[in-house]
Amino acid sequence: MKTLTTTEELRDFCNRAAQHPYVTVDTEFLRERTYYSKLCLLQIAYPGEGEETAVLIDPLADGIDLEPVYELCRNTDVVKVFHAARQDVEIFFHDGNVIPEPLFDTQVAAMVCGFGEQVGYETLVKRIAKASLDKSSRFTDWSRRPLTDAQLTYALADVTHLRVIYEYLSAQLEKAGRKGWVEEEIKVLTDPETYISRPEEAWQRVKTRTQSGKFMGVVAALAEFRERFAQERNIPRSRVFKDDALLELASTKPKNAGDLSRSRLLLREARKGEIADGILAAVEKGLATPPESVPRKEEIDKSNVSQALAELLRVLLKAKAEQSGVAQKLIATTAELDAIAAGERDLMALKGWRRSVFGEDALRLCEGGIALSAQGDTIRIVEL
């Protein structure tokens, strides 16, 4: 196992890798103590059998510059292959201001090829590469040095087996004519907007039971303050205050330090200093928000949802997923089925490849053009 610790070694490897049609990539990182992921190890492999085709890169080594890796990410002649790419790509975006393109995600491809929903890397290794993984190093501290042989072996396996998986899935997609389906899904992963967290939009991640005006105004202001504070200091949101404390503050609407001291859920560190000042200012801002400016989550009007139709759509989705060999969750979500039953039509489930697989028959079902019939375990479509 070769661990690269200098820029010169890294540049030499990346120059060799650039001569191949694809590279497989994985990262090991920590995020428990920071807002942004801390890259601790980078693994890259290119096609071939020799030991020189797969390396570990130590981003924590003194003086190493990852620019050769970023150059490889920008090279559009080389496909960058990941498994469950989102967190890995987020690191490249924030650390190197680059999004690897073209990109291939084996988890997405596996869902299109009939391996189930959000299939894990270990499952693909077993089923496609006919190998097994030692998972004992999975949850270790990747920032500590030196790394053990077990850690290095585990990390390298994440890119060596991925070569076999990529070649198999790529061939399956080509054979089935579904390469475009995966490319359509991967557009989200290559869109910079996917990795930008705007403080003013942070309220959308907070789950609330009510959407009353003043309450939501304070929720939005508190979420914005927390996000900005965490980003600027590179600390986890939970270190500022957790969601349950945010909801408590939005309900009690504290006006001074004394009110904060009575909070049951607020961390001790948040009851004084910059965080306390920020909380009080956010509550004041939230209460002053005009009713027409208070953010609210879009919700499906349950009164418009035909539960019978929604259930029929679920049956149709299951049948279509089994028929096409594509994971149900990738085709349509439960919320989308309810939305279709309520009359909404501007939905992902009704666009692109999903429309031909499921959407067209879903609309015909809604319009009374088809019915569903059960024959044993098989669901058949009946023309009306």
Side-chain angles (χ1 to χ4, degrees):
M1 292 177 289
K2 177 67 173 175
T3 301
L4 307 185
T5 58
T6 69
T7 307
E8 185 178 357
E9 289 178 308
L10 180 57
R11 184 176 293 110
D12 180 61
F13 174 80
C14 288
N15 286 341
R16 296 201 313 272
Q19 307 307 310
H20 296 270
Y22 73 86
V23 293
T24 54
V25 189
D26 190 40
T27 66
E28 306 299 341
F29 56 87
L30 291 181
R31 199 169 189 170
E32 290 81 5
R33 298 185 292 273
T34 57
Y35 181 91
Y36 299 103
S37 296
K38 179 182 179 180
L39 180 60
C40 299
L41 193 68
L42 179 59
Q43 306 97 274
I44 302 179
Y46 55 78
E49 298 295 331
E51 291 183 0
E52 75 283 356
T53 64
V55 297
L56 303 164
I57 301 159
D58 187 355
L60 304 183
D62 289 341
I64 194 168
D65 184 352
L66 296 183
E67 182 56 30
V69 174
Y70 302 145
E71 285 181 21
L72 186 60
C73 288
R74 298 186 194 101
N75 187 338
T76 55
D77 292 330
V78 182
V79 177
K80 272 65 69 173
V81 181
F82 295 80
H83 181 81
R86 183 163 180 153
Q87 286 186 303
D88 300 311
V89 176
E90 183 179 22
I91 292 172
F92 284 107
F93 178 74
H94 287 294
D95 288 3
N97 194 30
V98 62
I99 291 179
E101 290 192 79
L103 180 74
F104 188 95
D105 189 325
T106 55
Q107 186 177 69
V108 174
M111 286 194 282
V112 171
C113 290
F115 282 85
E117 297 180 2
Q118 294 182 320
V119 60
Y121 180 63
E122 183 186 12
T123 299
L124 295 183
V125 170
K126 285 182 179 178
R127 294 176 63 179
I128 297 175
K130 309 302 181 185
S132 59
L133 294 176
D134 177 3
K135 299 188 295 180
S136 60
S137 298
R138 187 176 182 182
F139 297 110
T140 56
D141 184 349
W142 293 99
S143 67
R144 296 186 65 180
R145 294 296 184 269
L147 295 171
T148 66
D149 286 345
Q151 286 177 301
L152 298 176
T153 301
Y154 168 87
L156 201 63
D158 280 348
V159 289
T160 52
H161 296 311
L162 195 54
R163 295 179 293 198
V164 178
I165 293 168
Y166 165 68
E167 291 181 6
Y168 174 85
L169 292 175
S170 184
Q172 290 295 107
L173 292 171
E174 197 73 49
K175 182 179 178 181
R178 295 180 178 182
K179 194 173 179 181
W181 295 15
V182 173
E183 290 172 352
E184 196 175 315
E185 295 307 297
I186 285 174
K187 285 180 181 178
V188 175
L189 295 173
T190 56
D191 183 354
E193 286 296 314
T194 302
Y195 309 103
I196 297 173
S197 296
R198 293 184 173 83
E200 63 272 19
E201 298 173 356
W203 64 273
Q204 297 175 2
R205 285 192 298 270
V206 182
K207 295 180 180 179
T208 61
R209 292 184 178 180
T210 177
Q211 294 212 63
S212 64
K214 289 191 180 299
F215 176 79
M216 285 304 300
V218 177
V219 165
L222 286 168
E224 179 179 355
F225 160 69
R226 179 178 66 173
E227 198 76 12
R228 202 178 302 280
F229 191 92
Q231 286 180 352
E232 290 172 353
R233 290 157 182 79
N234 195 23
I235 60 174
R237 297 182 192 95
S238 59
R239 283 267 303 277
V240 187
F241 47 80
K242 297 181 181 179
D243 279 4
D244 55 359
L246 187 153
L247 295 174
E248 180 193 44
L249 293 168
S251 297
T252 59
K253 304 174 183 61
K255 293 183 173 57
N256 51 53
D259 292 341
L260 286 180
S261 68
R262 288 187 283 274
S263 169
R264 293 184 303 109
L265 302 173
L266 201 60
L267 297 171
R268 184 180 304 170
E269 296 79 8
R271 302 182 188 204
K272 57 186 178 181
E274 291 181 300
I275 298 179
D277 292 342
I279 289 173
L280 296 175
V283 171
E284 185 177 351
K285 175 185 175 181
L287 291 173
T289 304
E292 64 274 12
S293 299
V294 172
R296 287 185 174 83
K297 297 178 182 179
E298 292 185 15
E299 293 184 339
I300 298 171
D301 185 353
K302 295 294 186 180
S303 63
N304 291 335
V305 177
S306 166
Q307 293 302 322
L309 180 56
E311 288 302 321
L312 284 174
L313 287 168
R314 287 173 176 76
V315 173
L316 177 65
L317 174 61
K318 186 175 186 298
K320 289 292 185 177
E322 290 176 354
Q323 179 184 332
S324 63
V326 180
Q328 290 186 51
K329 189 176 181 180
L330 191 63
I331 300 173
T333 65
T334 299
E336 284 179 312
L337 297 181
D338 287 341
I340 293 171
E344 291 188 36
R345 296 295 178 260
D346 186 19
L347 300 163
M348 288 295 295
L350 302 178
K351 298 177 182 178
W353 65 267
R354 292 175 174 84
R355 186 176 183 90
S356 60
V357 171
F358 168 74
E360 289 177 358
D361 282 335
L363 293 175
R364 292 171 68 204
L365 184 64
C366 292
E367 294 160 3
I370 60 172
L372 302 179
S373 170
Q375 188 174 42
D377 293 333
T378 305
I379 301 298
R380 296 192 304 118
I381 291 176
V382 180
E383 300 287 342
L384 298 179

